Amino acid sequence: MLNILFAARPARWPDYEEPLRTALSNAGIEADLATDITPGEVDYIVYAPNSWLQDFAPYTRCKAVLSLWAGVEGIVGNTTLTLPLARMVDHGLTQGMVEWVVGHTLRHHLGMDLHIHGQDGIWRDYAPPLARDRKVSVLGLGALGAACAEALRGLGFDVTGWSRSPKDVPGIRCLHGEEGLKEALTGAEGLVLLLPATPATDNVINAERLALVAPGAFVINPGRGPLIDDAALLGALDTGQIGHATLDVFRQEPLPKDHLYWAHPNVTVTPHIASETRPVTASEVIVENIRRGEAGEPFLHLVDRAQGY
Ligand code: NAP
């Protein structure tokens, strides 16, 4: 009998208890799943980085920490955590992100705001180009970025992707490294940020790089707030170099009431809702990793501590 500790905010327990129990039963794993277990008796921790659990030292028998979140910047630097740490890759989460990114990309591509907010009797005969004539760059080609890039490509967009290591995603022009970033940004009419927050990605979108995109380009950030130099983005919005920014994530969350982003006419703020882990599909991923741990197979989606994601 395994002891599995659920260490996320208590409000999440009702969402996850049943799906986790079902997934464990479907996998034939007998386990005591609970929110309170003596630390020395815990075999696996199902974890959210905003959990009450921050000191992993007493969990001497634990074999892995299985995160419910894709972004692990809040836990990766915890020096008491030396156990294997897996991040969340969940096809429900991925599908949600694809829908959010496609929706906001189409809003900007089609110029929907012009008509939604322009019902003033003026016949504006602006017709958007076809998606195939629109260059969109997706920074980050991981579980989420690659799926979004492929979905945009499926609609016909001219999609370039950028990652740390070389990638091969069908239909996407895949670039990497510093030169690759320059190329991905130059002339892009839309930017989608799906990079993790690490020391290497901090302020990756700065004034110099914003100057490379096509004038009036849109920026969509469902990745993490620190990817953007906020002052540089606000400056580029004021000059029109950036036409609109749709931002889901921020350096400080909730975004403070007096932040300039709230009031800017060309910024859309969404409250970190681009996509969330879905309990049913995520529970299957968590349980597959527990099954692997028990079978002596390698864990899926392990975090690379040195890279920070
Ligand atoms: P992932 O699979 O780890 O992919 C990360 C991608 O970023 C990879 O392609 C990686 O390159 C690239 N990358 C990392 N550091 C880089 C660097 N220094 N230079 C260039 N490329 C770099 O992560 P994911 O599951 O797609 O998730 C991405 C992020 O989305 C998460 O970290 C989280 O912050 C965010 N997120 C937000 C929400 C929301 O609701 N807003 C929900 C879920 C996730 P390699 O391929 O070479 O490794």
Side-chain angles (χ1 to χ4, degrees), residues 70-73 87-89 93 97 139-146 162-167 177 193-198 200-201 204 221-224 248-249 272-276 307 309:
V72 290
E73 72 279 7
R87 59 192 201 83
M88 180 49 66
V89 176
L93 169 77
M97 186 60 82
L139 308 191
L141 283 177
L144 301 178
W162 182 70
S163 53
R164 189 173 56 83
S165 55
K167 283 265 144 16
L193 309 182
L194 275 165
L195 295 160
T198 70
T201 62
V204 64
N221 185 17
R224 281 294 183 259
D248 185 57
V249 284
H272 201 144
I273 45 75
S275 188
E276 63 171 17
Q307 296 298 339
Y309 71 98

Side-chain angles (χ1 to χ4, degrees), residues 221-227 247-251 253 261 270-272:
N221 185 17
R224 281 294 183 259
L227 302 177
L247 309 173
D248 185 57
V249 284
F250 305 90
R251 282 175 193 271
E253 294 181 7
Y261 282 148
T270 62
H272 201 144

Side-chain angles (χ1 to χ4, degrees), residues 6 8 11 25 35 40 45 56 61 95-96 118 183 194 203 226 231 234:
F6 183 84
S25 155
T35 54
I45 301 174
F56 292 87
R61 183 168 115 183
Q95 178 60 24
E183 207 178 321
L194 275 165
N203 281 337
L234 285 161

Side-chain angles (χ1 to χ4, degrees), residues 36-50:
D36 188 13
I37 301 176
T38 305
E41 294 173 8
V42 170
D43 295 294
Y44 293 92
I45 301 174
V46 179
Y47 189 71
N50 64 354

Side-chain angles (χ1 to χ4, degrees), residues 27-202:
I29 296 172
E30 274 192 46
D32 181 12
L33 172 71
T35 54
D36 188 13
I37 301 176
T38 305
E41 294 173 8
V42 170
D43 295 294
Y44 293 92
I45 301 174
V46 179
Y47 189 71
N50 64 354
S51 158
W52 51 267
L53 199 174
Q54 296 296 326
D55 180 8
F56 292 87
Y59 294 84
T60 46
R61 183 168 115 183
C62 185
K63 294 167 207 159
V65 174
L66 308 170
S67 176
L68 293 169
W69 294 12
V72 290
E73 72 279 7
I75 186 62
V76 78
N78 185 321
T79 52
T80 68
L81 177 52
T82 52
L83 299 161
L85 169 65
R87 59 192 201 83
M88 180 49 66
V89 176
D90 154 33
H91 65 82
L93 169 77
T94 302
Q95 178 60 24
M97 186 60 82
V98 165
E99 292 175 11
W100 191 87
V101 165
V102 166
H104 286 278
T105 300
L106 286 176
R107 169 191 174 193
H108 298 307
H109 163 60
L110 296 174
M112 288 183 185
D113 290 26
L114 189 65
H115 303 293
I116 292 170
H117 302 298
Q119 301 293 300
D120 52 6
I122 298 171
W123 190 260
R124 295 182 178 88
D125 61 353
Y126 163 79
L130 286 178
R132 69 176 180 220
D133 298 320
R134 184 85 81 188
K135 290 180 196 304
V136 177
S137 289
V138 180
L139 308 191
L141 283 177
L144 301 178
C148 291
E150 285 184 300
L152 293 172
R153 176 73 196 120
L155 288 170
F157 286 100
D158 178 356
V159 184
T160 297
W162 182 70
S163 53
R164 189 173 56 83
S165 55
K167 283 265 144 16
D168 188 8
V169 183
I172 311 297
R173 194 161 65 111
C174 293
L175 304 171
H176 66 281
E178 184 59 38
E179 276 312 302
L181 178 57
K182 231 181 234 174
E183 207 178 321
L185 294 175
T186 302
E189 296 162 274
L191 274 189
V192 178
L193 309 182
L194 275 165
L195 295 160
T198 70
T201 62
D202 197 61

